C-alpha cells in the first residue's frame, strides 16, 4: 500500500544551517501519526516541504504517492498551521464558505459542511469578524477550515497549543475519531497529547528522526532510564540508603504515603537490589512495581541529554 | 489559473468590506466635485483672497479645459500614489498575516493569486475613476455648457493604461519584498522614473514614459499620437505581471 506520507533523505538547508538533515519518515494510511520534537527540530519545515510551500534542498518527499507540491495533493489534504491567519474582515462562516468555494464543493454540500464545521468549532453562534477572535477561536476555526474538503491527509502543526483544556480535549477527541478514515499527521511538542491520540510516532531532533514506530514500541524499546515505585514504612531511611547504591540514577517522591520513585539505568539489578536493601534495613515493604515508561521518558532520553 | 474565479469573487468582496471601498472613491469624488468650480471661479477666489492686488495678475477667462486639466493633474500627481500604496501591500500583507498560506495549500495556483489581485484592483480603480470622470464632466458641463466629454474621456483612458503599469509594478514589488513601505517605494520610484524618461522626446513618443505627459496634453484638447505609449504601456503591464507571477511562484512561504 502506498504510504500516506514518505520522505527519504530529506534535507532543507538555510545557508549553513540544516533545518532538515536527512529526514526519513513513513506514515501509513489511516494512522494518527505523532510528529514529536522540541522547538526548532524541523517539524514545521517538514510540513512546509510536504505542502509545497518550501522546496527541499535534497531528498524526496511524497504525499499519497505524489511529489510534495504536486497540485493534486492540494485537493486531498487539509492543513492547520501553528498560527492560522484569516482575513480580519470576514466572519467564520464567510471564511469556510470561501474555502468550500475554492475546493469547488457543490452548493448544498458546502452549506451542510460549513454548518457542521461551525458547530464542531463552537463558532456557529459567533457573528463577530475574525479580527476580533481570541487565539483559541482562531485555532478552532483553523481546524474547521482544514476539514472543509474532508481530506485524506490532515496535517496539523501544534493544533492544541493555543487551546484551553476543554478545547484541547475536543480537538483530541476529533483527531482520535478520524482514525482509520483520514491520515492525521500531528506535529506537537505536547507529549501527553500524542500519547492520548497517536498510534504511531516519530521523534525528530536537529532535522533527523531519532525514533519512530508504533507508540508502544517506541515507549518500550527506546526507554533508556526505567523507574520503579517502592513503598515502605520508612521512606526517609530507604532514601538515604539508596544514595549509596551504584545502580540508582535518581530518587524522587512517589505518589502516596511512603512511596519513592527510583530511576535506574540497570532495571534488572535494581529489581534484585531493592528488596534486598529493604530487608537489610529491616523495613516493611508494601509495594514494589515498575512505572510504565512515558513518551516523555523516551523523549527526554533521546533529545534531552543534548540540551 | 486554478481557483481564479473563486479568488476574484473573494477579492471583490474584500474591496467592498474594507477601507479600500472608502479611500479611493472618496479621493476621486473630492477631486471630481471640487475641480470644476475651482477652475470656473479661480479669478473670483483670487480677488476675494488678494483684494485689489488680484487685478495686477493677468488672468484669461476660464474654460472647460481648465477643469479637465485640473482633473488630469489630480490623477497623475495624487491618485497614482494612493493606488500604488494599495497595490504594494496586496501580496506581502497576506503572506505576512498567514492568510496567503491557507489559500495556497488549497487548489489555488500562485498565478491565480497574483492575477486575482491585479484584476480586482484594476477593476476597482477603473470603476471608481469612471464615476469620478462622469462627476467631473457633469460639474464642468453645468459651469461650461459647451464642454465636450471627449478630451476628458480620452485622457482618463490613457491614465488607466499608466495606472495598469504602476499596479503591475507595485504587485511585482509586493511579491518580491516583505515590507509594504519597500514595495510602495519601488512602485513610486517606477512612476518617477517614467516621468523623468518622459522628458526625453524620443522616449516619450515611443514608450510608456510618454503616458504621464500624454494624460495632461490630451485633457486640454491637444491632438497627440497615443498608439506607441499606450501599446507599449499595456505590454509593459503584462510583462510586469508575468514577472510578479514568476517571482511569487518561486518564493518559499
Amino acid at each position: 500500500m502506498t504510504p500516506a506520507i514518505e520522505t527519504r533523505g530529506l534535507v532543507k538547508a538555510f545557508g549553513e544551517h540544516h533545518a532538515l538533515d536527512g529526514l526519513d519518515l513513513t506514515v501509513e494510511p489511516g494512522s494518527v501519526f505523532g510528529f514529536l520534537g522540541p522547538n526548532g527540530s524541523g517539524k514545521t519545515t517538514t510540513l512546509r516541504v510536504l505542502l509545497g510551500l518550501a522546496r527541499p534542498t535534497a531528498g524526496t518527499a511524497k504525499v499519497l504517492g505524489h511529489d510534495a507540491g504536486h497540485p493534486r495533493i492540494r485537493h486531498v489534504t487539509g492543513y492547520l498551521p501553528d498560527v492560522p491567519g484569516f482575513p480580519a474582515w470576514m466572519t467564520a462562516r464567510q471564511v469556510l464558505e470561501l474555502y468550500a468555494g475554492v475546493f469547488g464543493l457543490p452548493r448544498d454540500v458546502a452549506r451542510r459542511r460549513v454548518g457542521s464545521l461551525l458547530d464542531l468549532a463552537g463558532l456557529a453562534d459567533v457573528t463577530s469578524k475574525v479580527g476580533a477572535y481570541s487565539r483559541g477561536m482562531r485555532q478552532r476555526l483553523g481546524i474547521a477550515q482544514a476539514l472543509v474538503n474532508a481530506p485524506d491527509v490532515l496535517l496539523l502543526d501544534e493544533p492544541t497549543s493555543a487551546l484551553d483544556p476543554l478545547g484541547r480535549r475536543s480537538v483530541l477527541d476529533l483527531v482520535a475519531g478520524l482514525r482509520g478514515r483520514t491520515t492525521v499527521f500531528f506535529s506537537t511538542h505536547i507529549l501527553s497529547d500524542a500519547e492520548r491520540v497517536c498510534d504511531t510516532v516519530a521523534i525528530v531532533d536537529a532535522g533527523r528522526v531519532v525514533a519512530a514506530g508504533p507508540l508502544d514500541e517506541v515507549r518500550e524499546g527506546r526507554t533508556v532510564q526505567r523507574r520503579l515505585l517502592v513503598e515502605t514504612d520508612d521512606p526517609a531511611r530507604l532514601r538515604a540508603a539508596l544514595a549509596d547504591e551504584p545502580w540508582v540514577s535518581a530518587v524522587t517522591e512517589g505518589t502516596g504515603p511512603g512511596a519513592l520513585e527510583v530511576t535506574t539505568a540497570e532495571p534488572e539489578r535494581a529489581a534484585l537490589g531493592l528488596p534486598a536493601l529493604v530487608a537489610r534495613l529491616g523495613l516493611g515493604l508494601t509495594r514494589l512495581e515498575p512505572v510504565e515508561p512515558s513518551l516523555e521518558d523516551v523523549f527526554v532520553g533521546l533529545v534531552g541529554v543534548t540540551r | 489559473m486554478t481557483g481564479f474565479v473563486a479568488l476574484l469573487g473573494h477579492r471583490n468582496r474584500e474591496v467592498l468590506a474594507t477601507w479600500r471601498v472608502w479611500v479611493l472613491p472618496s479621493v476621486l469624488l473630492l477631486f471630481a466635485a471640487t475641480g470644476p468650480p475651482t477652475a470656473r471661479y479661480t479669478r473670483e477666489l483670487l480677488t476675494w483672497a488678494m483684494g485689489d492686488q488680484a487685478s495686477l495678475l493677468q488672468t484669461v477667462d476660464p474654460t472647460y479645459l481648465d477643469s479637465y486639466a485640473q482633473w488630469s493633474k489630480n490623477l497623475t500627481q495624487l491618485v497614482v500614489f494612493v493606488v500604488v500604496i494599495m497595490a504594494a501591500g496586496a501580496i506581502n500583507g497576506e503572506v505576512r498575516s498567514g492568510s496567503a498560506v491557507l489559500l495556497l495549500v488549497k487548489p489555488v495556483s500562485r498565478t491565480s493569486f497574483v492575477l486575482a489581485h491585479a484584476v480586482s484592483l484594476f477593476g476597482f480603480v477603473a470603476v471608481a475613476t469612471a464615476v469620478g470622470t462622469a462627476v467631473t464632466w457633469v460639474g464642468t458641463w453645468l459651469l461650461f455648457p459647451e464642454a465636450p466629454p471627449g478630451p476628458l474621456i480620452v485622457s482618463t483612458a490613457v491614465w488607466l493604461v499608466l495606472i495598469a503599469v504602476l499596479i503591475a509594478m507595485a504587485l511585482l514589488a509586493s511579491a518580491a519584498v516583505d515590507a509594504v513601505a519597500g514595495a510602495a517605494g519601488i512602485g513610486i520610484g517606477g512612476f518617477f522614473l517614467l516621468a523623468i524618461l518622459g522628458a526625453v522626446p524620443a522616449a516619450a513618443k515611443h514608450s510608456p514614459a510618454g503616458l504621464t505627459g500624454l494624460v495632461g496634453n490630451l485633457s486640454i484638447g491637444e491632438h497627440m499620437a497615443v498608439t506607441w505609449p499606450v501599446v507599449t504601456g499595456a505590454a509593459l503591464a503584462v510583462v510586469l505581471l508575468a514577472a510578479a507571477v514568476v517571482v511569487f511562484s518561486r518564493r518559499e512561504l
Side-chain angles (χ1 to χ4, degrees), chain A residues 80 82 84 120-121 134-143 156 158-175 186 190 193:
Chain A
L80 170 68
D82 52 349
L120 179 80
S134 67
R135 178 140 187 243
M137 290 167 83
R138 281 170 188 264
Q139 198 83 354
R140 284 186 276 139
L141 178 58
I143 290 164
L156 305 173
E158 307 278 2
T160 57
S161 59
L163 299 177
D164 60 26
L166 284 176
R168 192 161 147 195
R169 184 173 170 176
S170 67
V171 168
L172 294 176
D173 288 347
L174 169 76
V175 169
F186 186 121
I190 303 174
D193 285 357

Side-chain angles (χ1 to χ4, degrees), chain A residues 12 48 53 55 74 85 145, chain B residues 99 106-107 250 252-253:
Chain A
K12 179 63 186 174
R48 289 174 59 231
L53 297 171
R55 285 180 293 277
R74 296 189 208 141
Q145 64 80 32
Chain B
S99 57
K106 296 179 172 60
R250 296 177 61 84
E252 296 198 347
L253 302 174

Side-chain angles (χ1 to χ4, degrees), chain A residues 225-244:
Chain A
Q225 301 268 333
R226 298 289 177 135
R227 285 176 293 151
L228 294 167
L229 181 74
V230 56
E231 203 172 291
T232 63
D233 52 3
D234 192 346
R237 272 186 68 205
L238 177 60
R239 189 169 194 157
L242 283 167
D244 297 329

